[in-house]
Amino acid sequence: MSARDAVAVTGIGLVTPAGVGAAATWAGLCAGRSMATTDPELAGLAVDISCPVTGFDGVALLGARLNRRLDPFSRFAVAAAREAVAEAGLGPEQWAAERVGVVLGVGGNSMGGTEVAIQKIQAGEPERVSAFALPRSLPNMAAAEAALDLGTQGPCFTVSSACASSTHAIGVARDLLLSGACDVVITGGTETARSRTASACFGRIGALSNRVDEPHLASRPFDLDRDGFVLGEGAGVLVMERVADARARGARIQAYLSGFGASSDAHHVTAPHPEGRGAIQAIRAALADAGLEPADIGHVNAHATSTPMNDVTEGWAISEVFGRSALPVTAFKGVIGHAMGAAGAIEAAGVVLSLRHGLLPPVANLDKLDPAIDLDVVTGRPRQVNRAPAVSTSFGFGGQNAALVFSPA
């Protein structure tokens, strides 16, 4: 294993619409049923459906005081970070706090909390705005709150690149380890995209599904009848260490992060490059970074938002890099919707779980593959696969592209 490969994933934490905790999320993804539903918080809007996290008891998981202080996206991040750190067998007694970093991806600030503050100001009651309204809504606060909760004192910051945010964050975290700046990095991403502002804005640009009468059928990656994504939320957190350090302390290595690639389309504010050039560049960069060839890859976990243009473009990019119908492809957004900045981290954690279990969850609601997409997409039920390196992709507004390569332990 080369120096560029030497990062181990030793812990995973997940909070998603499919379940609270990694085990519950994995079971929900493998069930292949959409979590989309009518959302009372979006009542009266043209698109009033979302994929919410349910069964998250913040008081029980975090305590009443901390739960009250935190915005939902930070609650999810802290809970997922605690789970990941516990699985890694780490904590204040096992690490030097100043050598532990926290790098999380967040696509935007907390729109829901900001909406509440604005409503009070518009009602002529600015004195009723919470003193915590500003600090709890800042994008960096999820990472800050995780560091406060865990007592880490190393580098702590947020990466923001739209829907590629947490994939970029994981790549940056790896570089902190390989540079020697940190011995442990808690990384991933979190986002709460279920807000009235998000629904109105994404609806105006035609990005959301309009299947409001059939929310469970709305998110359908790669399907011929897809018409947009469904707003989601959640958090995914990985604990990463250098391989030698993980082995020295006898940690259970879940997988290796062996490659990272990134690029910019420099094409359009919201649309991907029509030929998928940036996506192709990012995937090829990740493969080169890992020292692997396309034939070495066992599966792809696709970004696959369920939007007409993006799914076709990504399909072309995957086909261009790996050959048409050459390897199985899965995607999670049919089940859990689009968690924006958190999506890449949730999907990266899912890749690690796929490598651990030798299974690929099916793509929900894929009834008829778009003929413009020539891929072997997993449908119906989980598929057994060989434990080979896998690629996870993420793409965001502004032409932000990122890809990760994970190898089995």
mmCIF file of all heavy atoms in Angstrom, residues 107-144:
data_model
loop_
_atom_site.group_PDB
_atom_site.id
_atom_site.type_symbol
_atom_site.label_atom_id
_atom_site.label_comp_id
_atom_site.label_asym_id
_atom_site.label_seq_id
_atom_site.Cartn_x
_atom_site.Cartn_y
_atom_site.Cartn_z
ATOM 1 N N GLY A 107 -23.560 22.327 2.908
ATOM 2 C CA GLY A 107 -23.811 23.054 1.679
ATOM 3 C C GLY A 107 -24.257 24.490 1.889
ATOM 4 O O GLY A 107 -23.962 25.373 1.098
ATOM 5 N N GLY A 108 -24.990 24.753 2.962
ATOM 6 C CA GLY A 108 -25.484 26.099 3.236
ATOM 7 C C GLY A 108 -25.716 26.266 4.722
ATOM 8 O O GLY A 108 -25.397 25.390 5.522
ATOM 9 N N ASN A 109 -26.278 27.415 5.097
ATOM 10 C CA ASN A 109 -26.565 27.587 6.516
ATOM 11 C C ASN A 109 -27.917 26.973 6.841
ATOM 12 O O ASN A 109 -28.565 26.383 5.982
ATOM 13 C CB ASN A 109 -26.505 29.067 6.906
ATOM 14 C CG ASN A 109 -27.659 29.850 6.323
ATOM 15 O OD1 ASN A 109 -28.332 29.406 5.401
ATOM 16 N ND2 ASN A 109 -27.884 31.041 6.873
ATOM 17 N N SER A 110 -28.330 27.114 8.080
ATOM 18 C CA SER A 110 -29.575 26.504 8.531
ATOM 19 C C SER A 110 -30.748 27.404 8.149
ATOM 20 O O SER A 110 -31.099 28.338 8.869
ATOM 21 C CB SER A 110 -29.538 26.287 10.038
ATOM 22 O OG SER A 110 -30.758 25.755 10.482
ATOM 23 N N MET A 111 -31.366 27.124 7.009
ATOM 24 C CA MET A 111 -32.432 28.001 6.516
ATOM 25 C C MET A 111 -33.655 27.997 7.421
ATOM 26 O O MET A 111 -34.301 29.028 7.613
ATOM 27 C CB MET A 111 -32.821 27.589 5.105
ATOM 28 C CG MET A 111 -31.760 27.881 4.074
ATOM 29 S SD MET A 111 -32.342 27.514 2.393
ATOM 30 C CE MET A 111 -30.877 27.963 1.445
ATOM 31 N N GLY A 112 -33.993 26.834 7.986
ATOM 32 C CA GLY A 112 -35.183 26.757 8.832
ATOM 33 C C GLY A 112 -35.097 27.677 10.027
ATOM 34 O O GLY A 112 -36.038 28.425 10.339
ATOM 35 N N GLY A 113 -33.963 27.662 10.715
ATOM 36 C CA GLY A 113 -33.787 28.535 11.868
ATOM 37 C C GLY A 113 -33.767 29.998 11.484
ATOM 38 O O GLY A 113 -34.299 30.861 12.200
ATOM 39 N N THR A 114 -33.145 30.300 10.365
ATOM 40 C CA THR A 114 -33.105 31.682 9.885
ATOM 41 C C THR A 114 -34.499 32.176 9.545
ATOM 42 O O THR A 114 -34.853 33.334 9.811
ATOM 43 C CB THR A 114 -32.192 31.779 8.654
ATOM 44 O OG1 THR A 114 -30.885 31.326 8.994
ATOM 45 C CG2 THR A 114 -32.115 33.219 8.155
ATOM 46 N N GLU A 115 -35.326 31.308 8.970
ATOM 47 C CA GLU A 115 -36.705 31.673 8.651
ATOM 48 C C GLU A 115 -37.463 32.092 9.906
ATOM 49 O O GLU A 115 -38.212 33.083 9.893
ATOM 50 C CB GLU A 115 -37.416 30.503 7.980
ATOM 51 C CG GLU A 115 -36.964 30.221 6.562
ATOM 52 C CD GLU A 115 -37.509 28.919 6.018
ATOM 53 O OE1 GLU A 115 -38.163 28.166 6.794
ATOM 54 O OE2 GLU A 115 -37.293 28.651 4.836
ATOM 55 N N VAL A 116 -37.282 31.359 10.994
ATOM 56 C CA VAL A 116 -37.982 31.679 12.244
ATOM 57 C C VAL A 116 -37.570 33.059 12.741
ATOM 58 O O VAL A 116 -38.417 33.870 13.159
ATOM 59 C CB VAL A 116 -37.682 30.608 13.307
ATOM 60 C CG1 VAL A 116 -38.237 31.039 14.667
ATOM 61 C CG2 VAL A 116 -38.277 29.269 12.905
ATOM 62 N N ALA A 117 -36.263 33.349 12.689
ATOM 63 C CA ALA A 117 -35.793 34.659 13.147
ATOM 64 C C ALA A 117 -36.358 35.780 12.283
ATOM 65 O O ALA A 117 -36.782 36.830 12.792
ATOM 66 C CB ALA A 117 -34.266 34.685 13.116
ATOM 67 N N ILE A 118 -36.385 35.579 10.972
ATOM 68 C CA ILE A 118 -36.909 36.601 10.066
ATOM 69 C C ILE A 118 -38.392 36.847 10.309
ATOM 70 O O ILE A 118 -38.872 37.993 10.281
ATOM 71 C CB ILE A 118 -36.658 36.187 8.607
ATOM 72 C CG1 ILE A 118 -35.150 36.255 8.304
ATOM 73 C CG2 ILE A 118 -37.423 37.085 7.636
ATOM 74 C CD1 ILE A 118 -34.780 35.702 6.946
ATOM 75 N N GLN A 119 -39.135 35.783 10.570
ATOM 76 C CA GLN A 119 -40.567 35.936 10.840
ATOM 77 C C GLN A 119 -40.802 36.812 12.071
ATOM 78 O O GLN A 119 -41.704 37.665 12.081
ATOM 79 C CB GLN A 119 -41.199 34.559 11.047
ATOM 80 C CG GLN A 119 -41.332 33.744 9.763
ATOM 81 C CD GLN A 119 -41.666 32.288 10.047
ATOM 82 O OE1 GLN A 119 -41.865 31.889 11.199
ATOM 83 N NE2 GLN A 119 -41.736 31.487 8.993
ATOM 84 N N LYS A 120 -39.992 36.660 13.088
ATOM 85 C CA LYS A 120 -40.152 37.464 14.305
ATOM 86 C C LYS A 120 -39.796 38.925 14.047
ATOM 87 O O LYS A 120 -40.450 39.843 14.555
ATOM 88 C CB LYS A 120 -39.300 36.879 15.430
ATOM 89 C CG LYS A 120 -39.798 35.524 15.913
ATOM 90 C CD LYS A 120 -38.897 34.933 16.990
ATOM 91 C CE LYS A 120 -39.445 33.577 17.448
ATOM 92 N NZ LYS A 120 -38.573 32.939 18.467
ATOM 93 N N ILE A 121 -38.765 39.137 13.231
ATOM 94 C CA ILE A 121 -38.389 40.513 12.893
ATOM 95 C C ILE A 121 -39.496 41.178 12.078
ATOM 96 O O ILE A 121 -39.878 42.325 12.335
ATOM 97 C CB ILE A 121 -37.055 40.520 12.120
ATOM 98 C CG1 ILE A 121 -35.920 40.040 13.034
ATOM 99 C CG2 ILE A 121 -36.745 41.906 11.570
ATOM 100 C CD1 ILE A 121 -34.623 39.774 12.308
ATOM 101 N N GLN A 122 -40.023 40.461 11.104
ATOM 102 C CA GLN A 122 -41.090 41.015 10.264
ATOM 103 C C GLN A 122 -42.365 41.280 11.046
ATOM 104 O O GLN A 122 -43.155 42.151 10.691
ATOM 105 C CB GLN A 122 -41.365 40.069 9.094
ATOM 106 C CG GLN A 122 -40.239 40.013 8.069
ATOM 107 C CD GLN A 122 -40.525 39.047 6.937
ATOM 108 O OE1 GLN A 122 -41.256 38.067 7.110
ATOM 109 N NE2 GLN A 122 -39.955 39.316 5.775
ATOM 110 N N ALA A 123 -42.562 40.531 12.125
ATOM 111 C CA ALA A 123 -43.742 40.734 12.975
ATOM 112 C C ALA A 123 -43.542 41.893 13.955
ATOM 113 O O ALA A 123 -44.418 42.165 14.787
ATOM 114 C CB ALA A 123 -44.060 39.454 13.741
ATOM 115 N N GLY A 124 -42.392 42.577 13.854
ATOM 116 C CA GLY A 124 -42.117 43.688 14.747
ATOM 117 C C GLY A 124 -41.693 43.263 16.128
ATOM 118 O O GLY A 124 -41.822 44.031 17.093
ATOM 119 N N GLU A 125 -41.165 42.061 16.258
ATOM 120 C CA GLU A 125 -40.757 41.529 17.553
ATOM 121 C C GLU A 125 -39.305 41.057 17.528
ATOM 122 O O GLU A 125 -39.004 39.907 17.852
ATOM 123 C CB GLU A 125 -41.669 40.369 17.946
ATOM 124 C CG GLU A 125 -43.142 40.762 18.035
ATOM 125 C CD GLU A 125 -44.032 39.564 18.306
ATOM 126 O OE1 GLU A 125 -43.752 38.482 17.748
ATOM 127 O OE2 GLU A 125 -44.990 39.707 19.073
ATOM 128 N N PRO A 126 -38.368 41.917 17.157
ATOM 129 C CA PRO A 126 -36.964 41.496 17.100
ATOM 130 C C PRO A 126 -36.419 41.041 18.447
ATOM 131 O O PRO A 126 -35.471 40.248 18.510
ATOM 132 C CB PRO A 126 -36.241 42.751 16.599
ATOM 133 C CG PRO A 126 -37.137 43.886 16.970
ATOM 134 C CD PRO A 126 -38.520 43.337 16.809
ATOM 135 N N GLU A 127 -37.016 41.555 19.524
ATOM 136 C CA GLU A 127 -36.549 41.148 20.857
ATOM 137 C C GLU A 127 -36.841 39.681 21.149
ATOM 138 O O GLU A 127 -36.272 39.105 22.091
ATOM 139 C CB GLU A 127 -37.187 42.034 21.927
ATOM 140 C CG GLU A 127 -38.681 41.813 22.158
ATOM 141 C CD GLU A 127 -39.565 42.483 21.108
ATOM 142 O OE1 GLU A 127 -39.010 43.177 20.232
ATOM 143 O OE2 GLU A 127 -40.804 42.318 21.168
ATOM 144 N N ARG A 128 -37.714 39.053 20.350
ATOM 145 C CA ARG A 128 -38.030 37.640 20.558
ATOM 146 C C ARG A 128 -37.095 36.705 19.788
ATOM 147 O O ARG A 128 -37.201 35.497 19.910
ATOM 148 C CB ARG A 128 -39.481 37.365 20.143
ATOM 149 C CG ARG A 128 -40.521 38.050 21.031
ATOM 150 C CD ARG A 128 -41.929 37.610 20.657
ATOM 151 N NE ARG A 128 -42.064 36.165 20.786
ATOM 152 C CZ ARG A 128 -42.607 35.371 19.851
ATOM 153 N NH1 ARG A 128 -43.043 35.892 18.709
ATOM 154 N NH2 ARG A 128 -42.712 34.076 20.040
ATOM 155 N N VAL A 129 -36.190 37.274 18.996
ATOM 156 C CA VAL A 129 -35.210 36.446 18.286
ATOM 157 C C VAL A 129 -34.246 35.849 19.303
ATOM 158 O O VAL A 129 -33.702 36.553 20.161
ATOM 159 C CB VAL A 129 -34.438 37.277 17.243
ATOM 160 C CG1 VAL A 129 -33.334 36.450 16.614
ATOM 161 C CG2 VAL A 129 -35.390 37.791 16.169
ATOM 162 N N SER A 130 -34.037 34.557 19.198
ATOM 163 C CA SER A 130 -33.162 33.870 20.151
ATOM 164 C C SER A 130 -31.727 34.376 20.055
ATOM 165 O O SER A 130 -31.215 34.657 18.961
ATOM 166 C CB SER A 130 -33.180 32.363 19.881
ATOM 167 O OG SER A 130 -32.172 31.703 20.621
ATOM 168 N N ALA A 131 -31.078 34.493 21.206
ATOM 169 C CA ALA A 131 -29.666 34.870 21.224
ATOM 170 C C ALA A 131 -28.799 33.821 20.537
ATOM 171 O O ALA A 131 -27.677 34.109 20.121
ATOM 172 C CB ALA A 131 -29.204 35.065 22.670
ATOM 173 N N PHE A 132 -29.329 32.610 20.406
ATOM 174 C CA PHE A 132 -28.589 31.530 19.748
ATOM 175 C C PHE A 132 -28.896 31.443 18.250
ATOM 176 O O PHE A 132 -28.316 30.615 17.546
ATOM 177 C CB PHE A 132 -28.932 30.177 20.386
ATOM 178 C CG PHE A 132 -28.386 30.002 21.767
ATOM 179 C CD1 PHE A 132 -29.239 29.930 22.860
ATOM 180 C CD2 PHE A 132 -27.015 29.902 21.976
ATOM 181 C CE1 PHE A 132 -28.737 29.762 24.137
ATOM 182 C CE2 PHE A 132 -26.502 29.738 23.255
ATOM 183 C CZ PHE A 132 -27.359 29.672 24.344
ATOM 184 N N ALA A 133 -29.811 32.297 17.756
ATOM 185 C CA ALA A 133 -30.246 32.176 16.365
ATOM 186 C C ALA A 133 -29.078 32.279 15.385
ATOM 187 O O ALA A 133 -28.994 31.504 14.426
ATOM 188 C CB ALA A 133 -31.298 33.239 16.049
ATOM 189 N N LEU A 134 -28.191 33.236 15.589
ATOM 190 C CA LEU A 134 -27.058 33.393 14.672
ATOM 191 C C LEU A 134 -26.019 32.300 14.848
ATOM 192 O O LEU A 134 -25.700 31.590 13.881
ATOM 193 C CB LEU A 134 -26.422 34.772 14.840
ATOM 194 C CG LEU A 134 -25.200 35.015 13.959
ATOM 195 C CD1 LEU A 134 -25.572 34.938 12.483
ATOM 196 C CD2 LEU A 134 -24.577 36.372 14.275
ATOM 197 N N PRO A 135 -25.459 32.090 16.047
ATOM 198 C CA PRO A 135 -24.402 31.077 16.157
ATOM 199 C C PRO A 135 -24.862 29.668 15.824
ATOM 200 O O PRO A 135 -24.086 28.887 15.276
ATOM 201 C CB PRO A 135 -23.946 31.192 17.615
ATOM 202 C CG PRO A 135 -25.054 31.877 18.330
ATOM 203 C CD PRO A 135 -25.660 32.802 17.321
ATOM 204 N N ARG A 136 -26.111 29.334 16.135
ATOM 205 C CA ARG A 136 -26.546 27.959 15.850
ATOM 206 C C ARG A 136 -26.748 27.727 14.357
ATOM 207 O O ARG A 136 -26.734 26.587 13.901
ATOM 208 C CB ARG A 136 -27.820 27.619 16.609
ATOM 209 C CG ARG A 136 -29.076 28.311 16.152
ATOM 210 C CD ARG A 136 -30.337 27.505 16.533
ATOM 211 N NE ARG A 136 -30.472 27.289 17.948
ATOM 212 C CZ ARG A 136 -31.387 27.859 18.735
ATOM 213 N NH1 ARG A 136 -32.223 28.755 18.229
ATOM 214 N NH2 ARG A 136 -31.459 27.562 20.006
ATOM 215 N N SER A 137 -26.920 28.802 13.564
ATOM 216 C CA SER A 137 -27.220 28.625 12.150
ATOM 217 C C SER A 137 -26.002 28.722 11.243
ATOM 218 O O SER A 137 -26.086 28.402 10.058
ATOM 219 C CB SER A 137 -28.255 29.664 11.704
ATOM 220 O OG SER A 137 -27.694 30.963 11.697
ATOM 221 N N LEU A 138 -24.863 29.163 11.756
ATOM 222 C CA LEU A 138 -23.677 29.304 10.919
ATOM 223 C C LEU A 138 -23.202 27.941 10.410
ATOM 224 O O LEU A 138 -23.211 26.959 11.157
ATOM 225 C CB LEU A 138 -22.550 29.974 11.705
ATOM 226 C CG LEU A 138 -22.810 31.415 12.154
ATOM 227 C CD1 LEU A 138 -21.687 31.894 13.053
ATOM 228 C CD2 LEU A 138 -22.969 32.328 10.950
ATOM 229 N N PRO A 139 -22.776 27.862 9.151
ATOM 230 C CA PRO A 139 -22.368 26.557 8.595
ATOM 231 C C PRO A 139 -21.260 25.863 9.368
ATOM 232 O O PRO A 139 -21.211 24.636 9.434
ATOM 233 C CB PRO A 139 -21.905 26.919 7.174
ATOM 234 C CG PRO A 139 -22.627 28.172 6.841
ATOM 235 C CD PRO A 139 -22.739 28.932 8.136
ATOM 236 N N ASN A 140 -20.355 26.648 9.981
ATOM 237 C CA ASN A 140 -19.224 26.035 10.683
ATOM 238 C C ASN A 140 -19.608 25.421 12.021
ATOM 239 O O ASN A 140 -18.803 24.695 12.636
ATOM 240 C CB ASN A 140 -18.135 27.077 10.928
ATOM 241 C CG ASN A 140 -18.510 28.071 12.022
ATOM 242 O OD1 ASN A 140 -19.479 28.813 11.868
ATOM 243 N ND2 ASN A 140 -17.780 28.076 13.109
ATOM 244 N N MET A 141 -20.839 25.703 12.497
ATOM 245 C CA MET A 141 -21.171 25.309 13.863
ATOM 246 C C MET A 141 -21.358 23.810 14.033
ATOM 247 O O MET A 141 -21.214 23.296 15.146
ATOM 248 C CB MET A 141 -22.412 26.055 14.337
ATOM 249 C CG MET A 141 -22.164 27.539 14.579
ATOM 250 S SD MET A 141 -20.726 27.883 15.633
ATOM 251 C CE MET A 141 -21.280 27.191 17.192
ATOM 252 N N ALA A 142 -21.663 23.082 12.973
ATOM 253 C CA ALA A 142 -21.757 21.627 13.127
ATOM 254 C C ALA A 142 -20.399 21.054 13.510
ATOM 255 O O ALA A 142 -20.277 20.239 14.442
ATOM 256 C CB ALA A 142 -22.254 20.988 11.835
ATOM 257 N N ALA A 143 -19.347 21.474 12.800
ATOM 258 C CA ALA A 143 -17.998 21.016 13.139
ATOM 259 C C ALA A 143 -17.592 21.526 14.517
ATOM 260 O O ALA A 143 -17.006 20.796 15.327
ATOM 261 C CB ALA A 143 -17.004 21.484 12.080
ATOM 262 N N ALA A 144 -17.915 22.788 14.798
ATOM 263 C CA ALA A 144 -17.559 23.363 16.091
ATOM 264 C C ALA A 144 -18.245 22.632 17.239
ATOM 265 O O ALA A 144 -17.626 22.344 18.270
ATOM 266 C CB ALA A 144 -17.923 24.848 16.115
#
